Amino acid sequence: MEKLTANKVKMILFLAYFVLLSVERFISLVCVFTGDLSKCDALDWYMTALTLFAVFGAYVYIFTKCKFVVKHYDNGKVSASPTGDDEEYEKLSIAAGILLLGGMVHTEGTIPVIQFISYGMLLGSMGIHAFQCSKKDKNGIKKWLSFAYITAFSMSIPVVYHTNISLKYLFIPIECVVSAGTVVLFAIMLKKFFGQNAECSFSLIPFLTALIGDFAIIILRWNEEINWFVLIFICVTSVLWFVSNIYLMIKAKKK
């Protein structure tokens, strides 16, 4: 019964992420298309198009790839796995990443509070999974480091904004690529987190991609506005990456 309850809460939180972020993105799209479209520039159209793709793409993926998820829970069946059906969460993780592409652009009518609550639902689902896997294996250090690292990484993803800096024609393409690229990397890590016993590999390439990309964005826009949120979380991500890799090296030497 305890496992059943945890699995249900985990799935409810994961699905709440989709519901909340989808509603917020729908409200934003309504604001865009009921506003003065003549004032939209190329960046506005990019953000609107990406949001449309993200919302529709996420649900097309769910309904074409994750049909068994709905059937599984509608029939009241429970996976034999103590953490639920990992394959379900792996596919939902990809859909979550697709939807997040549209959540990382500041379109007209954006409601940051709802966005943060939706992200909190996803992190809550991840936390339950980490707890379940730690309890099952009796060794949760790597799992909780993985949870903390992926969480910090997700918070370091930059949101695409308008800017008036002199180098905006250089900054905006970099900002768009870094934002979308780190969302894709987050989705891959999320998929592995749910599919590989709440652990990640702490590989170098995703970390360096986020580190270099974030600092490029922060430095280019420094004189206009310092993005303290991204700066703080990319620093936290860096600390966790080093700590986690040191832990893994020490653990490997003891074997």
Side-chain angles (χ1 to χ4, degrees):
M1 182 61 69
E2 181 182 347
K3 292 175 183 177
L4 173 60
T5 301
N7 287 339
K8 280 188 174 181
V9 173
K10 182 169 67 170
M11 179 58 77
I12 289 170
L13 290 175
F14 208 134
L15 296 180
Y17 157 81
F18 284 100
V19 173
L20 290 171
L21 188 55
S22 298
V23 168
E24 189 277 335
R25 290 291 78 199
F26 179 77
I27 292 172
S28 178
L29 287 170
V30 170
C31 291
V32 170
F33 287 108
T34 56
D36 188 355
L37 296 178
S38 64
K39 293 182 179 180
C40 293
D41 58 16
L43 181 58
D44 288 314
W45 285 116
Y46 163 78
M47 294 191 292
T48 300
L50 185 61
T51 301
L52 284 167
F53 164 79
V55 174
F56 286 104
Y59 287 99
V60 167
Y61 185 89
I62 289 173
F63 290 123
T64 57
K65 300 291 185 180
C66 308
K67 291 180 180 179
F68 64 95
V69 175
V70 178
K71 182 179 179 181
H72 177 90
Y73 281 88
D74 282 347
N75 290 340
K77 298 178 182 177
V78 182
S79 170
S81 168
T83 60
D85 193 326
D86 293 339
E87 188 178 356
E88 293 179 352
Y89 287 98
E90 287 183 79
K91 292 186 177 182
L92 285 173
S93 294
I94 298 301
I98 295 171
L99 183 60
L100 188 59
L101 286 169
M104 288 292 109
V105 291
H106 193 81
T107 46
E108 184 72 23
T110 292
I111 309 174
V113 173
I114 296 180
Q115 288 188 340
F116 275 107
I117 293 174
S118 71
Y119 303 150
M121 298 296 102
L122 181 58
L123 296 178
S125 182
M126 290 172 60
I128 292 174
H129 187 65
F131 175 77
Q132 288 178 308
C133 293
S134 299
K135 188 176 180 181
K136 181 180 65 174
D137 291 352
K138 308 295 182 182
N139 183 11
I141 296 178
K142 185 178 180 182
K143 295 169 181 27
W144 287 113
L145 282 172
S146 298
F147 170 70
Y149 174 72
I150 296 173
T151 298
F153 187 97
S154 70
M155 293 294 106
S156 72
I157 299 173
V159 176
V160 177
Y161 286 95
H162 281 88
T163 181
N164 292 314
I165 62 174
S166 58
L167 295 174
K168 68 178 182 178
Y169 294 110
L170 171 65
F171 173 82
I172 290 174
I174 293 175
E175 181 183 41
C176 293
V177 170
V178 172
S179 180
T182 46
V183 168
V184 171
L185 292 172
F186 166 69
I188 293 171
M189 286 192 286
L190 187 65
K191 178 178 180 291
K192 291 181 177 179
F193 179 82
F194 279 107
Q196 297 181 1
N197 206 24
E199 294 181 356
C200 68
S201 60
F202 304 104
S203 57
L204 180 63
I205 293 177
F207 167 64
L208 284 182
T209 300
L211 183 67
I212 295 171
D214 281 359
F215 273 100
I217 289 173
I218 291 167
I219 291 170
L220 283 170
R221 202 180 175 207
W222 189 271
N223 291 328
E224 181 185 51
E225 182 182 357
I226 301 173
N227 194 332
W228 288 107
F229 190 87
V230 171
L231 178 59
I232 290 170
F233 276 102
I234 193 59
C235 289
V236 173
T237 300
S238 301
V239 171
L240 288 168
W241 186 84
F242 280 106
V243 169
S244 299
N245 277 282
I246 291 171
Y247 167 76
L248 293 178
M249 286 189 290
I250 294 173
K251 188 177 179 180
K253 287 182 179 180
K254 289 182 178 180
K255 290 184 177 180

